[in-house]
Amino acid sequence: MSTSVIENPSLHASPAAEFLDDVLKGLSSTSRSIPSKYFYDDTGSTIFDAICELDEYYPTRVEIEIMSRYGDEITHRLGPDVRLVEYGSGSSTKTRILLDHLIDPCLYVPVDISIQHLARTADALAKDYPLLSVAPVAADFTRPFVVPMSEFEPRRTCDYFPGSTIGNFAQAEAIQLLAEIADRCERGDGLLIGFDLRKDVCVLESAYNDRAGVTAAFNKNLLHRMNSELGANFDPRQFGHHAFFNDAAGRIEMHLVSQREQSVSIAEHSFEFDRSETICTEYSHKYSISEFEQMAARVGWQCKKTWCDERDYFAVMYLER
Ligand code: AVJ
């Protein structure tokens, strides 16, 4: 038996047209960029899971460590009978830790952009947690979507935003997203959010420049995706992977770098690339705890408690409306 995935109409109106629009727009501007959400097709989501296994890539491991260590304390804060809504659920490893500790959760709503990935994880969860109601929603959570209601009135809704996905958004957008989540919430509802902390630049930069080249493959998957889905003719061998810490902006930036002067066509459009010209494909912001707390406070979230690992690499913060 498979759990039926609720597809958000806005996700499916015309995904190819939306992808094309965003790519054309991003490549037409003076500093070229492509939204990082397009990494996560089926292949990209699988490569991302491989990144999480890398020695150099600490965030996933450390976040899991925090969740395992403080699982009891965290779920005690959330209380019983919660409706748990997870943003960018991916493979739901951290969610399992929450679900193992939560008392009588009413409903679990994983929200993810990759339908295949979502269906697989929802099925696996439904099998392992037979008493849990699961209502997966395939949606782009940066756009409006409807959160399914549980059969019983929950004591509170808790939005779970793990994986430092919030770091992918420019600061103004991150605040905007926190505001939108707050708008969907009632007073007393919670937000449990994981974000990556500022740290030694070498540690940060090696996490995005692994020796095995998995992150490079993740980055270049975007080129393959544009070729197969938009009929573009990028030559992936002619683009390099570049990731560095932008200290002033407090973020890792990931780019695809043109290895020579070249011309690429997408649909009827053609784009000229200079040698060394880049396409920015991702921001990954690193915050301090107080910086994040202040950002959230501006849009109505009150920080209740923050849990960190021993090295202070990563933070899991619980806030209430
Ligand atoms: C999934 C947003 C947490 O920013 O670290 C991993 C994605 N990009 N390696 C991150 C990513 C390159 C990632 N997040």
Side-chain angles (χ1 to χ4, degrees), residues 40 48 51 57 163-165 168 208 215 218 254 282 284 286:
Y40 303 95
F48 179 67
I51 289 179
Y57 193 75
S164 68
T165 307
N168 280 166
Y208 295 83
T215 309
F218 180 67
M254 214 155 79
E282 186 176 64
S284 190
K286 313 300 170 187

Side-chain angles (χ1 to χ4, degrees), residues 276-289:
S276 302
E277 186 172 346
T278 81
I279 306 171
C280 180
T281 51
E282 186 176 64
Y283 287 160
S284 190
H285 284 82
K286 313 300 170 187
Y287 293 107
S288 73
I289 290 171

